[in-house]
Amino acid sequence: MARALLPLLTASLALAFAPLASADLPEIQKRGSLRALAVLSDEETYFVSQKAGQPPGFDIEVLEGFARLHRLKVELVPAAGWDALIPALLKGKGDVVAGGFTDTESRRRQIEFTAEVFPTRTVVMNRKPRPAIKSLDELRGEKVGTIKGTFMLEELQAAGITGVDDGVASGGLPEALKGGRITAGVDGLEAALVAQSRDKDLQLGAFLGKPSSLAYGVRKEDAALLRALNEYIGNLRKTPTWSRLVVKYFGEAAPEILRKARAQ
């Protein structure tokens, strides 16, 4: 009897200590909801928003279109911070990372990324009447701030910029500049565009690194979900809907500024 029970016990222990099962597209369809992990901010609501009376955000509108196609609903799962997104995804707490998430080499070692959803680039911003910061040498003489766990911090580290204040809250760089905590903020171009539209004394300066892409992150084993998202995103980018969403959330000037950021 003991020998007969041993295989059952071994199998039970293996199940107990096995990693959480992948939630690829067939499992997501059975559940009926696509769980989107994102960092929520009261200031940065252009990609993801839960504020009453506000549109849901660029990323949520894109994902809702995908969800309708597959008869799903989008379930937003808040993350504690940018550096918590990938661990939460790998633990099975969500199916996709969204909310203005940058496709980087270091992140690709852990997860897969979809096709580009939105073009981006790291940009330096400061406040008038000081001149705009146009070079890395000028930036080295500033009190630089950015957000922990983001690709902007990676770009600063790659450029050899030290002493960076990375304790600024998500969406808090404009206020940190205004209050004098920092003299130069380094953010994604999409965030800088929105901040500048709200405060005409903010000005954009040098770009750092190379043009990048915002995309959705998925687990490496979720191949069906990745294929379906890529097909949907590829088709969406060919339609006027994508351009309409860009203007809706980032302003009339956004398409031209995004083109310049790609070209320089």
Side-chain angles (χ1 to χ4, degrees):
M1 178 65 75
R3 289 183 180 179
L5 288 174
L6 185 58
L8 293 174
L9 179 60
T10 302
S12 298
L13 288 172
L15 287 172
F17 291 98
L20 288 172
S22 168
D24 206 354
L25 187 58
E27 289 74 28
I28 293 169
Q29 289 173 318
K30 289 177 184 177
R31 185 200 311 137
S33 65
L34 178 71
R35 299 170 301 166
L37 287 155
V39 176
L40 300 183
S41 167
D42 288 339
E43 289 77 24
E44 294 185 344
T45 59
Y46 35 88
F47 279 111
V48 177
S49 176
Q50 283 189 316
K51 284 191 172 183
Q54 283 195 358
F58 182 93
D59 269 359
I60 298 302
E61 289 207 39
V62 172
L63 288 175
E64 284 178 342
F66 172 81
R68 284 192 297 272
L69 186 64
H70 293 274
R71 299 180 180 180
L72 300 168
K73 64 178 181 180
V74 176
E75 178 186 344
L76 189 57
V77 181
W82 291 97
D83 50 358
L85 286 166
I86 290 179
L89 179 70
L90 296 178
K91 290 177 182 177
K93 295 181 178 179
D95 307 309
V96 60
V97 176
F101 196 55
T102 307
D103 180 348
T104 69
E105 183 178 346
S106 62
R107 289 170 174 170
R108 275 187 175 268
R109 296 189 192 109
Q110 302 178 75
I111 63 173
E112 294 287 351
F113 279 88
T114 65
E116 179 181 87
V117 180
F118 193 93
T120 190
R121 195 164 183 184
T122 305
V123 67
V124 179
M125 57 184 180
N126 69 344
R127 292 184 62 80
K128 299 174 182 178
R130 301 186 69 193
I133 299 165
K134 297 294 187 180
S135 70
L136 277 175
D137 285 340
E138 292 177 7
L139 184 61
R140 289 189 177 95
E142 303 288 334
K143 291 192 294 182
V144 182
T146 193
I147 302 162
K148 184 179 179 181
T150 63
F151 82 105
M152 294 90 73
L153 183 57
E154 291 184 24
E155 295 278 23
L156 286 166
Q157 291 169 341
I161 304 295
T162 59
V164 175
D165 180 354
D166 66 351
V168 182
S170 185
L173 287 171
E175 190 59 35
L177 282 167
K178 192 172 185 178
R181 172 177 172 175
I182 58 175
T183 58
V186 177
D187 211 340
L189 180 57
E190 65 288 344
L193 285 170
V194 174
Q196 189 181 47
S197 71
R198 296 171 178 171
D199 183 350
K200 299 305 179 185
D201 285 337
L202 278 176
Q203 54 192 353
L204 307 188
F207 292 115
L208 299 184
K210 298 177 181 179
S212 302
S213 297
L214 302 181
Y216 302 132
V218 301
R219 286 177 291 271
K220 287 181 177 290
E221 60 267 29
D222 294 347
L225 176 60
L226 181 63
R227 284 194 302 271
L229 282 167
N230 280 340
E231 181 179 4
Y232 181 78
I233 293 165
N235 290 331
L236 178 68
R237 291 291 297 265
K238 297 173 185 176
T239 70
T241 300
W242 186 83
S243 298
R244 176 184 61 78
L245 287 173
V246 170
V247 171
K248 176 179 178 178
Y249 285 100
F250 302 98
E252 294 286 344
E256 180 59 28
I257 295 173
L258 290 173
R259 280 192 287 272
K260 288 181 179 178
R262 270 282 188 259
Q264 291 182 17

